[in-house]
């Protein structure tokens, strides 16, 4: 089944060229089924890139998924056109009056700031508070995961000596847990961050369960309150060249970055990277949509007021 997006969303053409089943609004309105309604709070600066990455992964499911993008009112992106934001993004006040099946909170390039120093932190807190009763399950990515763990469960973040960048191997625990159903004993996932959370802090909280981690990266996939909240400290949605773009950007900023780990063939940045994480990334998002959203949401849920 397809994902449903705005007819004019620019990434729609790219998805169709990749043979991803995309349904426009006209056709979806004629379908006599109960689709899943997902909100994506996109906090990344290059919003169109993140749109494309997430939509690729969310499309690999037999469910019909209606996608709506939301943005903060307290901060306006400097790297995405106002026209794009106005046409394809809704402000939180426009979506908060009803209930939603799922919410995705993306990462953001503000890791080195204390959470309370982030310009839109009060609004993000408002959204997280609202989601407790208005959203079946929330999926937090990278900085979004750290922010959610901090606000919802009191888990602090710690600054690392240097940026964690590359494609890292994780170990899967509790393989009967539905979120990692179908995973191998180990899997790869991109990481791109300056801060981390620690296993010892998470294990102290009985409401949290670590289902994948590594010695190098720490906890990678964490389940909160049985699936009400999902936290992924990496970027399973990243495209093949996303880490390459970030590496070259950091070189241009004279940050002297290390070559991303396990990414370029022979650690040679002149060689094209090989994507090695797509299957597990798609399985992760599909499992979330199926087991933690679709299977647990009442049929008439989205018709209710929040």
């Amino acid at each position: 089944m397809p994902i449903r997006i705005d007819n004019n969303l620019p990434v729609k053409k790219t998805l169709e060229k990749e043979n991803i089943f995309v349904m426009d609004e006209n056709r979806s309105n004629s379908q006599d089924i109960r689709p899943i309604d997902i909100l994506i709070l996109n906090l990344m600066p290059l919003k169109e890139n993140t749109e494309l990455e997430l939509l690729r992964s969310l499309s690999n499911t037999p469910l019909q998924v209606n996608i709506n993008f939301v943005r903060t009112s307290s901060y306006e992106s400097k790297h995405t056109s106002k026209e794009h934001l106005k046409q394809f993004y809704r402000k939180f006040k426009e979506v908060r009056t009803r209930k939603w099946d799922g919410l995705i909170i993306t990462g953001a390039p503000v890791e080195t700031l204390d959470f309370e120093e982030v310009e839109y932190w009060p609004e993000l807190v408002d959204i997280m508070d609202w989601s407790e009763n208005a959203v079946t399950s929330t999926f937090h990515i990278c900085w979004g995961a750290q922010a959610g763990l901090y606000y919802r469960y009191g888990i602090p973040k710690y600054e690392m000596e240097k940026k964690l960048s590359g494609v890292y191997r994780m170990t899967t625990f509790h393989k009967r847990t539905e979120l990692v159903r179908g995973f191998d004993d180990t899997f790869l996932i991109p990481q791109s961050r300056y801060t981390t959370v620690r296993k010892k802090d998470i294990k102290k909280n009985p409401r949290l369960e670590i289902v994948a981690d590594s010695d190098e990266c720490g906890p990678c996939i964490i389940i909160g309150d049985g699936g009400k909240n999902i936290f992924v400290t990496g970027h399973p949605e990243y495209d093949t060249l996303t880490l390459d773009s970030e590496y070259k950007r950091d070189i241009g900023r004279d940050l002297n970055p290390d070559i991303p780990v396990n990414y370029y063939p022979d650690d040679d940045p002149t060689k094209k990277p090989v994507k090695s994480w797509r299957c597990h990334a798609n399985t992760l998002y599909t499992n979330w949509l199926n087991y933690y959203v679709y299977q647990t949401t009442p049929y008439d849920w989205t018709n209710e007021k929040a």
Side-chain angles (χ1 to χ4, degrees):
M1 292 295 285
I3 50 174
R4 186 206 63 80
I5 57 179
D6 190 289
N7 298 358
N8 300 311
L9 190 70
V11 299
K12 181 172 181 284
K13 292 182 179 179
T14 302
L15 293 168
E16 290 172 335
K17 287 180 181 178
E18 295 176 4
N19 202 31
I20 292 175
F21 189 2
V22 179
M23 182 181 290
D24 63 28
E25 294 170 294
N26 297 331
R27 182 174 176 183
S28 69
N29 290 336
S30 68
Q31 301 289 305
D32 188 20
I33 61 173
R34 162 69 163 88
I36 297 176
D37 288 330
I38 302 295
L39 274 181
I40 299 178
L41 176 61
N42 190 354
L43 302 173
M44 294 291 277
L46 301 177
K47 299 197 183 303
E48 293 186 58
N49 291 357
T50 302
E51 292 163 13
L52 183 58
E53 291 170 347
L54 284 171
L55 292 174
R56 282 181 177 134
S57 288
L58 293 171
S59 68
N60 288 280
T61 169
L63 306 168
Q64 181 176 319
V65 184
N66 292 347
I67 302 294
N68 288 269
F69 293 99
V70 64
R71 63 185 177 95
T72 58
S73 299
S74 49
Y75 177 81
E76 187 166 296
S77 174
K78 297 179 176 64
H79 302 278
T80 303
S81 72
K82 292 182 179 180
E83 292 76 16
H84 185 86
L85 293 173
K86 183 177 180 180
Q87 184 171 1
F88 302 112
Y89 282 73
R90 301 160 72 181
K91 294 183 179 180
F92 175 51
K93 65 181 180 181
E94 299 176 62
V95 303
R96 69 178 305 161
T97 56
R98 53 160 288 192
K99 293 189 175 182
W100 295 83
D101 297 308
L103 168 66
I104 295 175
I105 300 176
T106 72
V110 291
E111 297 170 66
T112 56
L113 297 175
D114 289 340
F115 292 114
E116 291 81 3
E117 293 178 354
V118 176
E119 188 172 346
Y120 48 80
W121 179 251
E123 187 174 3
L124 180 57
V125 165
D126 191 20
I127 292 171
M128 289 192 285
D129 284 341
W130 164 83
S131 71
E132 287 299 310
N133 295 313
V135 176
T136 300
S137 179
T138 302
F139 194 106
H140 309 68
I141 302 170
C142 199
W143 180 84
Q146 294 183 5
L149 285 167
Y150 172 73
Y151 182 69
R152 299 184 192 274
Y153 302 97
I155 304 299
K157 67 175 180 177
Y158 301 89
E159 191 163 347
M160 296 180 290
E161 293 183 4
K162 59 181 180 180
K163 183 178 183 180
L164 186 73
S165 176
V167 182
Y168 291 85
R169 186 169 299 278
M170 304 292 163
T171 300
T172 312
F173 305 105
H174 314 298
K175 285 182 286 185
R176 293 186 179 180
T177 301
E178 292 167 330
L179 187 62
V180 290
R181 182 170 289 177
F183 273 50
D184 295 317
D185 292 341
T186 64
F187 65 98
L188 298 172
I189 186 171
Q191 300 281 341
S192 179
R193 51 191 169 91
Y194 291 92
T195 55
T196 191
V197 292
R198 293 178 180 170
K199 182 185 293 189
K200 65 177 183 178
D201 295 326
I202 295 171
K203 293 185 73 172
K204 290 177 183 177
N205 193 318
R207 296 166 58 198
L208 296 171
E209 177 188 20
I210 300 171
V211 295
D213 78 349
S214 80
D215 292 337
E216 292 176 286
C217 305
C220 175
I221 303 177
I222 305 115
I223 297 176
D225 293 312
K228 176 68 176 177
N229 293 295
I230 305 295
F231 305 95
V232 180
T233 59
H235 284 283
E237 78 287 348
Y238 263 14
D239 192 13
T240 308
L241 296 177
T242 305
L243 285 173
D244 177 69
S245 297
E246 293 180 350
Y247 173 64
K248 292 174 180 176
R249 176 202 63 197
D250 290 349
I251 290 176
R253 294 175 177 176
D254 294 325
L255 297 178
N256 193 29
D258 290 342
I259 296 173
V261 172
N262 193 30
Y263 181 56
Y264 297 109
D266 303 319
D267 286 334
D268 183 351
T270 66
K271 296 182 178 180
K272 184 179 179 179
V274 176
K275 191 165 190 176
S276 54
W277 59 91
R278 183 190 298 274
C279 291
H280 283 92
N282 289 346
T283 301
L284 178 64
Y285 284 106
T286 297
N287 286 347
W288 173 64
L289 286 172
N290 182 28
Y291 296 114
Y292 297 88
V293 180
Y294 178 72
Q295 299 288 349
T296 58
T297 306
Y299 186 85
D300 293 328
W301 167 264
T302 55
N303 293 325
E304 298 180 16
K305 291 184 178 180

